[in-house]
Each structure stands twice: as C-alpha cells, then as structure tokens.
Amino acid sequence: MKKLIYISKFLYILFVTHSCSPIKGDYLKPNIIIIQPIVIQSDIGDEPAKMNLSEELVNKAYSKANIDFHYLEPLYYDNTKARDGEINLDSIVKLSKRDNILKGQNDIINMFFVNAIDGHQGPTGRGMMNGNIVFIALGDENNTNAEKQRSMEAFVIAHEVGHNLGLKHVVDDDNIIDSLPNIQGDGEFKERIDPKNSLNSYQINEIFKSPLVHSRIDFLDKEQASIAILDESFEPYFSKLERKEISTFVQEKAPRNIDSARTFARMKFSSAVMEFSSREKHILSFVVKKTNRWLLENEINLMAYQPWRFIKIQNWLCGGFAHTRGTYIILSQSYLDRLSADWSENMSDKSELKLVTSLGGLLVHEQMHSLQRTFKSRFDKLYSENWNFIKQQIKDDQEIIKDQVSNPDAPIAEWLIPDPEIKDKFYWIRTLITKNTEIPEMGKDFVDIAFEITKKNERYFLSKSNNSVNSKPLSELDFYINSFSVERGLDHPNEISAYMFSDFFKKNYSLKSHYVEKATQKDNNYVLFLNWIKQEMK
C-alpha cells in the first residue's frame, strides 16, 4: 500500500474497487451517502477509464455509524487528456464545472474514474479533504488472494470517503489510538474495515458534521431548501425560463429583461420555501416507510434505495403543484394539508390504506422523476425500445419559446412520436400558455400542442407552412393518446411513466403480489411497462 501524502488540497491514496452488491432484506440504514460516479473517456466517447464499485464491504465499514452508500448511475465525460492524467486535477474540476458535470449542491460525492492522475498510473487516487470530489485511477486486479483483494478495495474506498467526511489519518489525530486497526490507520485491510475497529465514537461524531451525510428520509430546513430548490446540476431549468412562464409560476409580473427575469425567478423560488412541522415529518416518514417496505418486498429496489429528500413550499409557487428538482421532492402546504387530513395515531386499517395509497401514490410519482434524472439510461430504454419514442434535439422556434411552459419534471423536450402512417413524420409535444395576459393561471391557461417534425437526410426539422409551424392540439393525436393507460401527463414520457407507476402502486399496494394484473391488448404499453419494472427497477 502506498503511503498517504498530502498534496495541495487533495489526498494521495491507492484506490481499487469492486462491483456493488444489493442490500439484503428489507432493512435500510437510516443514513446515506450519495455517490455520483463520473467515468472519463476519450474525446470521441470511447475507451472509458476502468470503473468498479464496492458497496457491501464499504457499508460494513460504516455500519457502526448506521450509514449506507448509494451509487447513482455513472456519467461519462469525454476528455482524453483528463482521462490519461495529462492535465492537473484543478483543471479537470474547472472543466467539469464549465460543462455541468458535477452533481448536487456540495451534498453529493462526485467520484471521477481516470487512467492516470498527474501522469501516475493506477491504482492510485486523490480525494478532497472536507470536499465532495474524488479522483480514482484503478490498476490491474492481480492479487491471487481474492478475499484480501476485496478487503483492500473496500478499505481504500472507506478510507478515501472518510477524508471527504473530514476524517484525518490516525497518525495526525490524537482522538484515535494508532495501535488499533482503523479505516484511517494501519493494519490488515480486513481488520481495518471490520465494524469492530473501523470507526470509533469520535470519528462517527465527526462524520455526522459533514453535509455529505443525509437521513434516508430527509427534510430540508429553510436555509438548505432555499439553495437546493435552485439546483440545476442535473439539467437546466432557471437558465432556460421565459418571461411569461416565470410570471405564471410565481404569480407576479416578471421584469422585461430576460436575465433580470431569471434572477427574479430564482429569488422568488428561494423565498417560497418553508419549514416542515413535526406532524408533517411524522406523517411523511410513516408513509415513506410503509411504501419502502412494499417496494422492497416486491423487489423494486431502485426506488426503495433512492433517498427521499423533501422541500416544502408556499401554495402560490407553481400553483401549489408537487414537483421535483434534482433529487428533491417539492411539496406545497396545500398538498400536505389535504393528503394528511385523516392522519391519526389510532387510524383504522382502512384509513391507513387510504393514506398510504393517496399520499404514497403522489410520493412514488415524484420519486420516479428523481430516478429519471439519476438513472437516465434505464428510462431511455423504456421510452425508445419499449414505447417507440425517438430521442432527438429539435432546434426551437421563437413562436414556441415565447409561450413555452417548462415542466420541472421534464424540462428537456427531447422525445418525438413517430406518425404510424407517414414515414419520416413525427410529432413533438410542447406545453404552451394560451392567453396573452400579464399573469396567466397555472394549468388553466395551458395547452399541450403536437408540432409536426419532418426528417430529411437524417436531420429533424419543425415543419412550417407560410412561415408558421404546423401543429395540432395533442388531444387530436388519437393514435398516441389511446396507446397509454393514463390520461394525464402525455406531454412527456417522464410524466407518462410517473403516472403509470403511481397507478400501479395504488392498485397493488394492498395485494400480496404486484404482478397479478392482467392487461388487455389495448394496454400493450402498460404490459411493456410492467416488464420494464421487473428488469430495470429490481
């Protein structure tokens, strides 16, 4: 093992990993650390750096602190020089910020996988002390002792993340006995990750001071929420808003200058956040735990493992509708009041079932939107391979932009619907504001429009006649709206899958098996969705 030495703001460490293993049973530890793997590959998008992840043994090392590690779907970043260690780490961080690669608001660990670090081949790594960035260069796994290899891999992960969490080396910390095994000290790897030795009480207390450790069911306070609600690290939102929709969302006239209007929107969104009451926390925790148990019993682990992170807002923002941003579920006071009205410590079974299916049905809908951002390729597979959507970026038109409504749960309009009768003709669904008033009303003044798209020479264009884009109301696209089992949310497959999963949960929560439903041929897309759940949410 190479000796750890401090270089600039990074810690130098040998780093090897192992493939992750699922959590056993239906017990999930109450605390969680979120990891965003970022795999750097060549400029042309091939030959990615080696990446392996270990979860079971790392979780074991942190089990005394009641912490699990949660890995999001890996992202891929094209930069040959960064992959091969030909530019320094500060430059890579600067480039990744420029290209919006880093995720979270300093509450997620961004873990880069490269071939070399500052010219040094793996296995090696550097992690930012009290920061949220780790660089990993993995070497060949040539240890003939498989158990020792796995223990070493788990140790270096636990050790490196420990520095992110603010833990010093044993030799530099008078609060730890350096003659005993520890994840920050010396000894056999197996001994150092053994929960009997891995962390002492002082280290555990230090860990929980870190903003990287979250409750699995997390209620953001007003200060945290005012920052988190502005998160654009997973996709653009405020930077793309237009004046008319801003006025609609905040129910106040936006400034004429677009930059000022977007700054105004951020200010209004931040100002709308509220503190959760103890009662609201209690009710949401009760419903999430019931929901998670059902998800785990039915092997829908992708959603069960995803942390439940809540922001509360005032009713005037976005019409009081529930929505999401980043990994956060945003609930208004009116939603909470309505859906928890029948709560009681002494609820009947019937009342409890009503509460869990209604409030739980809303929560799983919103959690699907969180998953759509953090496990994007799984949903792309559903939309393209099962539901026959075509993924394409279309050059927008000012006629559409000025009246656009940006769905916070599906802000990127990137899916086309093929016309079943006309080759190379497609439809692009956008939601528009219908009235030319200073402050339109949420929902009431919205309409879903299907714009015609033509394919020529492998390129896709808005179809125009007399300098006006060709379109029709989505309600007239019979072949499309009749192909799904839901009537709402047909403007984007993100909404379709969220509504379908919510209905699926409500129908099957009280049943012993969630696959007892028999769908008709008319519900073919629902059958495909059930099969996708079995394969991709397991």
Side-chain angles (χ1 to χ4, degrees), residues 325-387:
R325 179 140 304 109
T327 56
Y328 307 103
I329 296 173
I330 302 172
L331 302 173
S332 68
Q333 183 68 67
S334 58
Y335 259 105
L336 291 168
D337 290 344
R338 184 170 71 254
L339 293 173
S340 62
D342 296 329
W343 163 262
S344 168
E345 292 285 0
N346 301 310
M347 284 184 298
S348 65
D349 291 343
K350 182 178 180 180
S351 295
E352 179 185 309
L353 178 61
K354 179 182 177 182
L355 172 68
V356 176
T357 53
S358 58
L359 180 53
L362 170 68
L363 297 184
V364 298
H365 175 114
E366 301 304 331
Q367 190 76 322
M368 282 290 278
H369 291 315
S370 175
L371 293 172
Q372 288 158 359
R373 295 186 179 98
T374 53
F375 293 89
K376 192 173 178 63
S377 70
R378 302 193 189 203
F379 288 87
D380 284 358
K381 182 177 180 180
L382 170 66
Y383 304 158
S384 60
E385 295 182 17
N386 293 279
W387 288 349

Side-chain angles (χ1 to χ4, degrees), residues 135-379:
F135 282 87
I136 308 301
L138 294 176
D140 294 331
E141 296 183 9
N142 53 13
N143 195 320
T144 56
N145 187 323
E147 182 180 4
K148 185 175 181 179
Q149 178 80 21
R150 293 188 68 234
S151 294
M152 181 187 70
E153 293 168 353
F155 164 75
V156 293
I157 296 171
H159 181 106
E160 188 77 1
V161 171
H163 287 306
N164 284 158
L165 301 175
L167 298 185
K168 301 176 183 178
H169 297 142
V170 168
V171 295
D172 298 323
D173 198 329
D174 295 335
N175 298 284
I176 312 168
I177 301 173
D178 59 9
S179 61
L180 298 177
N182 188 277
I183 62 167
Q184 298 306 112
D186 293 326
E188 291 293 326
F189 296 122
K190 184 177 180 180
E191 294 298 316
R192 284 187 267 182
I193 63 172
D194 191 312
K196 293 186 300 183
N197 311 312
S198 56
L199 297 168
N200 68 12
S201 58
Y202 168 80
Q203 289 173 307
I204 292 172
N205 288 334
E206 289 298 297
I207 285 171
F208 278 96
K209 295 177 183 179
S210 172
L212 297 169
V213 179
H214 313 288
S215 297
R216 187 172 291 277
I217 306 173
D218 197 13
F219 303 96
L220 275 67
D221 62 30
K222 193 170 182 178
E223 181 179 356
Q224 295 169 326
S226 66
I227 298 171
I229 200 170
L230 302 181
D231 183 29
E232 290 188 275
S233 65
F234 287 92
E235 75 231 327
Y237 185 68
F238 295 97
S239 56
K240 299 293 185 180
L241 292 181
E242 294 296 318
R243 288 187 63 252
K244 189 180 288 189
E245 61 183 329
I246 291 171
S247 298
T248 307
F249 295 151
V250 305
Q251 286 297 284
E252 189 175 329
K253 188 177 178 181
R256 287 193 173 278
N257 176 272
I258 189 60
D259 291 331
S260 298
R262 289 168 180 168
T263 299
F264 169 75
R266 292 183 177 94
M267 180 272 292
K268 294 295 291 184
F269 271 71
S270 281
S271 72
V273 302
M274 303 173 69
E275 298 279 356
F276 285 92
S277 69
S278 297
R279 180 177 183 271
E280 290 163 347
K281 292 179 181 179
H282 186 61
I283 295 170
L284 284 168
S285 296
F286 175 86
V287 173
V288 167
K289 288 175 182 177
K290 291 285 184 180
T291 301
N292 254 8
R293 180 171 291 275
W294 181 86
L295 292 169
L296 289 165
E297 287 173 350
N298 292 289
E299 297 187 322
I300 308 178
N301 301 319
L302 188 71
M303 181 175 288
Y305 294 174
Q306 187 87 340
W308 299 80
R309 315 180 76 190
F310 294 106
I311 293 172
K312 180 182 171 184
I313 58 169
Q314 298 180 51
N315 295 332
W316 55 263
L317 183 64
C318 295
F321 293 129
H323 58 284
T324 60
R325 179 140 304 109
T327 56
Y328 307 103
I329 296 173
I330 302 172
L331 302 173
S332 68
Q333 183 68 67
S334 58
Y335 259 105
L336 291 168
D337 290 344
R338 184 170 71 254
L339 293 173
S340 62
D342 296 329
W343 163 262
S344 168
E345 292 285 0
N346 301 310
M347 284 184 298
S348 65
D349 291 343
K350 182 178 180 180
S351 295
E352 179 185 309
L353 178 61
K354 179 182 177 182
L355 172 68
V356 176
T357 53
S358 58
L359 180 53
L362 170 68
L363 297 184
V364 298
H365 175 114
E366 301 304 331
Q367 190 76 322
M368 282 290 278
H369 291 315
S370 175
L371 293 172
Q372 288 158 359
R373 295 186 179 98
T374 53
F375 293 89
K376 192 173 178 63
S377 70
R378 302 193 189 203
F379 288 87

Side-chain angles (χ1 to χ4, degrees), residues 26 31 55 87 122 171 189 307 356 454 480 536:
D26 65 356
N31 305 299
E55 188 169 348
I87 55 177
V171 295
F189 296 122
V356 176
T454 301
Y480 173 70
E536 299 296 332

Side-chain angles (χ1 to χ4, degrees), residues 2 12-16 50 83-85 114-125 135-142 152:
K2 295 180 181 178
Y12 196 109
I13 183 173
L14 168 71
F15 199 107
V16 192
K50 182 179 178 182
R83 182 196 62 185
D84 296 339
V114 296
N115 287 341
I117 296 173
D118 290 338
H120 299 286
Q121 300 293 318
T124 189
F135 282 87
I136 308 301
L138 294 176
D140 294 331
E141 296 183 9
N142 53 13
M152 181 187 70

